[in-house]
Amino acid sequence: MSAADIDSPRLRSERERLFGPGEEGQVRALVLALARPADWEVLGRVWKGVQDELGWPAPGIAVSGTDACQLWFSLADPLPPAQAHALLERLRLRYLAEVPAHRVELIPSADGERQVPRIPAALGDEAWSAYVAPDLAPVFAETPWLDVPPRAEGQAELLSRLRSISAAECAVLLPEVAARAEAPTAEGPAASAPAAATASVFTDPQAFLLQVMNDERVEMALRIEAAKALLGAR
C-alpha cells in the first residue's frame, strides 16, 4: 500500500484546514521534531508547556516513520518561512535548550527549502509515519513508526481535534507578528479571547504586548507571557 492509498476526503479536508499553505510561499504548518532518541518524556514537556504556559491549543503529535517524534503546530495566519522558523527556534530555546541541537529539527527551514512532510506516508516496507493520540505517544519513543498502514479515518479524527494558533497567541512568543493580529481567527469563545485584545491594528510590537498584558479578557497565561516579553525587550 502506498501513501496515496492513505487518504480520504475528510483527511484531505482536515489537512487543508490546519496545514494548507498560504500565498507567496508562506506557511501554516510548523514541525518540531526530536530524534536520536525520540524521547517523548522530553518532547511531552513541550506539548504540555505550550498549553499551560502560553495558552496555545494542543499541537498534533506524529511519529516520523524513521527516528523522530514530532509536534505539529497549525497557524491561523500564515507566516514567511523565516518567521515560522524563528517561532520554532523560540520554542526550542524555551523548552529544549539543554537538548543537543543535532537532536532537534525545526521545519520549515529558515530559507523555506525544507518543508513539512506529508503524513501519513510509507518510509519503508514496514514503517509508516502517522499522527498519534497523546496517550499513545510514549509507546513510540523507541520505535517512532507504525508497522502497519494507519487508517485514513483515524488520522482525520485526530486532526479534527486540533485548533490553529491565532496571531495574538503567536505574538506573545514572537512579537514580530503582532501587526498580523488584527482580528479573531480562532474557533470558539475560549480561543477568541486573546484575539479580542487586537481590535486595533498594531505596528509597534511593544504596544501590542502592553495591551495584551492589560486586557482582562485575555487568558492570564498570555498576559504573563506578554509581561515577560516586555521585560525582555527593555
Side-chain angles (χ1 to χ4, degrees), residues 3-233:
D5 296 320
I6 308 299
D7 209 351
S8 70
R10 186 186 180 200
L11 180 54
R12 289 194 298 273
S13 175
E14 290 297 342
R15 270 198 302 246
E16 180 64 24
R17 177 181 69 86
L18 293 167
F19 307 126
E23 297 179 355
E24 299 179 352
Q26 296 189 96
V27 299
R28 295 181 56 226
L30 284 64
V31 174
L32 188 156
L34 181 64
R36 300 179 296 276
D39 190 340
W40 175 250
E41 182 177 354
V42 173
L43 196 61
R45 292 200 291 268
V46 185
W47 182 81
K48 189 174 187 299
V50 297
Q51 297 176 72
D52 293 348
E53 299 173 17
L54 301 181
W56 287 9
I61 303 168
V63 289
S64 70
T66 53
D67 62 354
C69 281
Q70 304 171 337
L71 296 181
W72 281 66
F73 300 89
S74 167
L75 301 179
D77 298 296
L79 292 175
Q83 278 196 329
H85 187 86
L87 183 62
L88 287 170
E89 179 63 11
R90 299 281 175 89
L91 287 176
R92 185 189 72 81
L93 292 174
R94 184 184 182 97
Y95 294 107
L96 300 175
E98 297 180 358
V99 175
H102 73 271
R103 292 185 55 203
V104 182
E105 184 177 17
L106 310 178
I107 315 172
S109 57
D111 59 9
E113 291 297 317
R114 176 79 165 101
Q115 293 292 321
V116 298
R118 173 173 168 168
I119 288 183
L123 278 300
D125 293 338
E126 296 182 350
W128 290 77
S129 62
Y131 298 104
V132 299
D135 57 343
L136 291 180
V139 175
F140 297 98
E142 295 184 5
T143 54
W145 59 80
L146 272 65
D147 54 13
V148 295
R151 293 176 56 251
E153 186 60 27
Q155 295 289 282
E157 178 62 27
L158 288 172
L159 294 184
S160 73
R161 304 169 189 171
L162 303 181
R163 178 176 70 78
S164 298
I165 306 167
S166 71
E169 290 166 329
C170 284
V172 172
L173 196 61
L174 192 70
E176 295 91 318
V177 305
R180 295 171 175 266
E182 299 178 8
T185 55
E187 304 162 4
S192 62
T198 61
S200 302
V201 176
F202 288 92
T203 57
D204 181 353
Q206 292 194 23
F208 169 79
L209 291 171
L210 185 62
Q211 178 159 333
V212 171
M213 183 183 71
N214 292 324
D215 194 328
E216 295 182 355
R217 297 168 295 177
V218 177
E219 293 179 11
M220 182 57 68
L222 289 176
R223 295 173 65 189
I224 292 172
E225 290 303 319
K228 290 179 180 178
L230 277 170
L231 288 173

